[in-house]
Amino acid sequence: MSQSKISWQRIRDSQLFWPLLALALIMLFNLFFTPGFYNIEIKDGHLSGFLVDIFNRGSILMLLAIGMTMVIATGGVDLSVGAVVAISAAVATVLINPALAEKLISSEELVKDVTSTPLWICILAALVAATACGLWNGLLVSRAKIEPMVATLVLMVAGRGIAQLITHGQIITVYYSRYFFIGNGYLLGIPFSFFIVAFVYLAVWLLARRTAFGMFVESVGINARSSYLSGINEKNIKLIVYTLSGFCAGVAGLIYSSNVKSADANNAGLNLELDAILAVVIGGTLMTGGRFSLLASVIGALVIQATTTTMYALGVPAMAASAIKGLVVLIVVLLYSDQTKLVLGKLFEREGARS
Amino acid sequence: MMERLNIDRKFVPVLATIGVFITLYFYGWLQYKGMRTPQAFLNLFVNNAFLLITSIGMTFVILSKGIDLSVGAMIALTSVVSASLLEHVGLSPFIVLPLMLLMGILFGATMGAIIHFFKVQPFIVTLAGMFIARGMCFFVSLDAIPIHDPFYRTLALYRLPIPFIDKAFLSIGAIIALLVLIVGMYVAHFTRYGRSVYAVGGSEQSALLMGLPVGLIKISVYAISGFCSSLAGIVFSISLLSGHGLYATSVELDAIASVVIGGTLLTGGQGYVFGTLFGVLVTGLIQMLIQFNGNLSSWWTRIAVGALTLIFIAVQSLFATKWKRQAVARSSRTMQTGKPDMSMGDNLSAGSA
């Protein structure tokens, strides 16, 4: 594409424009108000600093946002991702040290750097459990025809209970050092979680954009019935996106539990479903479904993580930060609604009738 | 005959919930001695007063086809702000109480206005509202604030004895909750406003064409929900005599689950405030049974409530599809809509009741 064709209008219409602008604004804010934000130094042979931290901490959110984008693109929503993160974390950590969940054992035995199940089985089991959760959501939405918000609400409520059932209500601490590599390790000086995100992103991107699948998803999101009439198996499309979202949450759960070296069924992934939805919304994918952009959602996740990190750097208490986050989201949503009104005035009327 | 069937249908979900409640209670009555006292039954109201108040507000929102995710955060915000005003500022409770209710109404109305004027999904706006309210709590205070106000203490210790029954009482919260229930039932089922809420939930388009003030109704249901959750917050802070930002986490989920179990359809326009009472009672009863059992851990409550919600939703959606098909078949000649959820058939049948 030649340079002259990229007009201002074209840039502004791009789904990437607004999230990038938001990210740029936060970065600009940090340039002036947060000392040392852009410092990147090499510590123990790997990169460290606020920016690296945003990527590392944001990896969980980015993964969830990738799965959530596809779900929202079909016109649904997945509220259960936070609970699925907890389930995945619980399964992996319990398999590493099953004794911990059952009885009190001596501390020497507890802190041994061993695993009672091979690591790959732990990871596989966690991913299978999470994918099964996604599949369950997908079945409820596509086969039982339950409204997505309600269907996933069930797992959101019950999921934490299930996670606690797995951990027997204990906070499972992991002492197996090889497991830490997933969320804390560095490869070529870059956080390993970054590679996981890149891999998942690439895989989903290939599925969505190099096959017709992405088109089908958008089609179902715009009008499920006409998609069905034009020969798209909308049920299976929905089933797949929810399963995918569950899988992404499973990977996120592994990173989370490995990062904090424990699994707390009550607090693992708490409120993450909200952050993931917000990331997708900031990324410009409409909640009513249709056109989506995976990259925009990932940038949206970075925006949220950057905002959070900035507020921590400024010394805002973690819980109070959520007020500012909510305010930011509200502003973004209102901006979008105006913008959509201007650009897609016609589409808006239809949206009003639908939602 | 069709007419009679119609009436039966509308009450099926509520009757099912009542059936579940009675069955569960009967089971508990047989199983545990502690549940055979009248006070055990009254405790369902005492312990779940704030949930009942919140759920009634939520019922109105859901009837209008919306959702309010900010209620739990609003309860926490009310508890923190009222505790702070009482303890740190030293205001009289008679100023603080109306101020809190006003705050709830304004907060809800603001969200409603954004939902209506900007045509943003209720889900997103109230989600942001939840974040904001929760965060505001911690701007006020990071720690729990104990309330020493004598008026609050009197309210907290007040017990209304039930006439003719020994050792049976209701707390002030339970009394407020029952009053809210009565007012809620009256407003929803016996006033013009209530019918308008049903109409908007059934089909916003039709309500608009009928000349109903849709915007006002949509904004007001969120104001009602805000009022109810701040009232619930007051009840909550009276019972605990303190305020903290971490109180009432995930109450929004319990409230939604209670409303759904109570037979109100999340698609709007169908349900009863009375059903919500039983939704709350069933949720409370499950918790109570698990406590009485003693062997089951508390997380079983979540699983049981989740499972029960699912069963109710599944059955409802099954019936709803079946009835819709019948309703559509009846009026197929007059109506040709592409979207099944836009067909007004059974949604309006409750609204016109």
Side-chain angles (χ1 to χ4, degrees):
Chain A
M1 197 173 293
S2 69
Q3 195 76 30
S4 60
K5 273 193 176 173
I6 305 173
S7 64
W8 170 237
Q9 185 65 35
R10 208 189 153 81
I11 293 173
R12 223 178 48 175
D13 280 353
S14 158
Q15 216 178 337
L16 291 179
F17 175 71
W18 293 99
L20 277 176
L21 184 72
L23 194 61
L25 282 178
I26 292 166
M27 288 303 168
L28 202 65
F29 176 85
N30 281 314
L31 188 62
F32 294 114
F33 295 102
T34 318
F37 196 81
Y38 288 92
N39 290 355
I40 290 183
E41 47 196 40
I42 296 179
K43 254 187 213 161
D44 311 327
H46 59 74
L47 300 172
S48 102
F50 275 119
L51 290 180
V52 182
D53 207 46
I54 290 175
F55 259 100
N56 201 4
R57 295 271 158 95
S59 57
I60 295 165
L61 197 52
M62 285 191 262
L63 282 169
L64 295 181
I66 290 170
M68 188 71 84
T69 308
M70 303 294 275
V71 172
I72 289 181
T74 63
V77 72
D78 187 354
L79 292 181
S80 69
V81 289
V84 176
V85 164
I87 290 176
S88 153
V91 170
T93 51
V94 160
L95 283 178
I96 286 173
N97 203 346
L100 201 57
E102 280 152 22
K103 57 184 189 292
L104 288 171
I105 45 177
S106 64
S107 53
E108 309 91 70
E109 200 184 334
L110 197 125
V111 298
K112 260 193 243 161
D113 187 4
V114 287
T115 174
S116 52
T117 323
L119 191 59
W120 67 272
I121 290 182
C122 297
I123 293 173
L124 195 70
L127 291 181
V128 166
T131 313
C133 289
L135 190 70
W136 162 258
N137 282 333
L139 285 175
L140 286 185
V141 172
S142 68
R143 296 307 193 276
K145 302 257 179 251
I146 300 173
E147 232 184 297
M149 209 198 87
V150 186
T152 54
L153 191 75
V154 171
L155 194 58
M156 185 185 179
V157 176
R160 290 205 180 271
I162 295 169
Q164 274 175 325
L165 204 65
I166 297 169
T167 63
H168 290 245
Q170 309 286 321
I171 296 175
I172 309 264
T173 319
V174 181
Y175 296 94
Y176 181 52
S177 55
R178 272 178 66 195
Y179 184 68
F180 301 157
F181 186 73
I182 301 171
N184 279 326
Y186 289 86
L187 195 67
L188 307 171
I190 299 169
F192 182 64
S193 53
F194 176 76
F195 289 96
I196 300 177
V197 175
F199 179 75
V200 171
Y201 173 79
L202 207 67
V204 177
W205 184 82
L206 282 175
L207 174 71
R209 294 303 183 207
R210 282 293 167 268
T211 69
F213 184 71
M215 208 84 91
F216 288 167
V217 166
E218 292 183 343
S219 160
V220 168
I222 292 164
N223 192 332
R225 177 136 186 89
S226 65
S227 311
Y228 172 73
L229 291 176
S230 54
I232 296 169
N233 192 338
E234 47 114 7
K235 282 184 184 173
N236 283 349
I237 298 285
K238 281 184 180 166
L239 191 67
I240 292 169
V241 293
Y242 284 95
T243 313
L244 190 69
S245 173
F247 175 80
C248 287
V251 179
L254 284 175
I255 295 180
Y256 179 88
S257 58
S258 155
N259 196 346
V260 300
K261 301 178 184 178
S262 65
D264 177 357
N266 265 327
N267 293 318
L270 196 65
N271 287 345
L272 266 185
E273 54 277 342
L274 311 182
D275 278 4
I277 293 166
L278 301 179
V280 176
V281 169
I282 290 176
T285 304
L286 290 179
M287 287 297 292
T288 40
R291 195 175 64 140
F292 70 91
S293 160
L294 288 171
L295 191 59
S297 296
V298 169
I299 295 171
L302 281 178
V303 169
I304 290 178
Q305 193 58 45
T307 318
T308 316
T309 308
T310 304
M311 279 185 288
Y312 291 168
L314 291 176
V316 179
M319 291 304 292
S322 80
I324 297 166
K325 216 191 277 179
L327 216 56
V328 169
V329 166
L330 206 57
I331 293 166
V332 169
V333 167
L334 294 188
L335 274 180
Y336 274 125
S337 80
D338 263 341
Q339 184 213 15
T340 342
K341 239 185 233 169
L342 287 171
V343 183
L344 309 162
K346 268 268 164 77
L347 201 88
F348 227 84
E349 287 168 26
R350 205 172 59 190
E351 201 184 299
R354 238 170 86 174
S355 62
Chain B
M1 196 190 105
M2 210 61 217
E3 207 53 46
R4 220 185 63 211
L5 268 177
N6 251 336
I7 290 164
D8 282 350
R9 267 175 203 169
K10 284 185 312 198
F11 287 112
V12 166
V14 183
L15 289 175
T17 311
I18 296 175
V20 167
F21 176 74
I22 293 173
T23 317
L24 273 179
Y25 203 92
F26 188 66
Y27 166 79
W29 195 82
L30 287 178
Q31 209 76 11
Y32 310 111
K33 248 188 185 153
M35 276 188 64
R36 286 175 208 171
T37 59
Q39 188 54 41
F41 178 73
L42 292 177
N43 272 345
L44 281 176
F45 290 89
V46 173
N47 296 336
N48 297 299
F50 74 98
L51 183 60
L52 181 56
I53 300 172
T54 318
S55 302
I56 289 166
M58 184 71 86
T59 311
F60 277 90
V61 176
I62 290 179
L63 279 177
S64 79
K65 209 177 181 176
I67 195 104
D68 188 353
L69 295 176
S70 71
V71 291
M74 197 61 216
I75 293 176
L77 185 62
T78 309
S79 79
V80 170
V81 174
S82 61
S84 170
L85 285 180
L86 286 169
E87 296 301 312
H88 300 160
V89 183
L91 283 179
S92 147
F94 299 101
I95 301 172
V96 172
L97 291 178
L99 216 59
M100 288 303 102
L101 296 178
L102 192 69
M103 179 179 80
I105 293 171
L106 285 180
F107 194 84
T110 312
M111 289 194 300
I114 292 171
I115 289 164
H116 176 66
F117 290 118
F118 288 88
K119 299 216 187 308
V120 190
Q121 281 174 319
F123 165 63
I124 291 283
V125 176
T126 55
L127 195 65
M130 166 184 169
F131 268 83
I132 292 170
R134 260 298 161 213
M136 289 304 285
C137 297
F138 294 94
F139 275 114
V140 176
S141 167
L142 282 177
D143 309 309
I145 311 171
I147 297 174
H148 301 292
D149 184 82
F151 181 66
Y152 263 60
R153 299 221 153 227
T154 324
L155 288 182
L157 295 175
Y158 179 75
R159 292 283 179 270
L160 178 82
I162 305 292
F164 311 119
I165 304 175
D166 261 1
K167 283 186 262 172
F169 64 87
L170 282 176
S171 68
I172 195 86
I175 299 165
I176 295 175
L178 288 173
L179 285 178
V180 171
L181 176 72
I182 293 166
V183 174
M185 276 167 66
Y186 175 75
V187 171
H189 306 309
F190 299 102
T191 63
R192 181 204 289 247
Y193 173 78
R195 281 191 290 275
S196 310
V197 172
Y198 276 93
V200 169
S203 166
E204 204 181 313
Q205 214 96 39
S206 315
L208 200 65
L209 291 174
M210 275 193 275
L212 293 173
V214 172
L216 202 65
I217 291 162
K218 273 170 82 180
I219 294 170
S220 64
V221 290
Y222 290 96
I224 291 177
S225 177
F227 171 83
C228 284
S229 43
S230 62
L231 188 62
I234 291 170
V235 167
F236 201 85
S237 52
I238 285 175
S239 67
L240 289 185
L241 282 176
S242 62
H244 191 214
L246 281 179
Y247 284 166
T249 41
S250 75
V251 162
E252 56 277 349
L253 299 180
D254 290 341
I256 295 170
S258 301
V259 173
V260 170
I261 293 174
T264 303
L265 289 191
L266 274 149
T267 43
Q270 207 170 23
Y272 295 94
V273 175
F274 189 63
T276 301
L277 167 68
F278 280 91
V280 172
L281 288 181
V282 167
T283 321
L285 189 58
I286 291 173
Q287 210 162 351
M288 197 184 213
L289 285 174
I290 283 166
Q291 275 166 9
F292 268 109
N293 178 290
N295 287 327
L296 288 173
S297 316
S298 62
W299 53 81
W300 276 105
T301 316
R302 309 233 76 182
I303 297 178
V305 170
L308 204 62
T309 314
L310 176 70
I311 292 168
F312 269 81
I313 292 167
V315 169
Q316 278 179 12
S317 94
L318 229 133
F319 276 93
T321 336
K322 201 176 125 198
W323 297 343
K324 203 163 276 174
R325 218 172 282 148
Q326 290 172 359
V328 168
R330 247 181 283 148
S331 58
S332 61
R333 273 180 299 273
T334 52
M335 223 160 45
Q336 278 289 342
T337 49
K339 283 185 203 312
D341 53 312
M342 267 178 65
S343 68
M344 310 174 286
D346 73 303
N347 278 344
L348 275 187
S349 65
S352 56

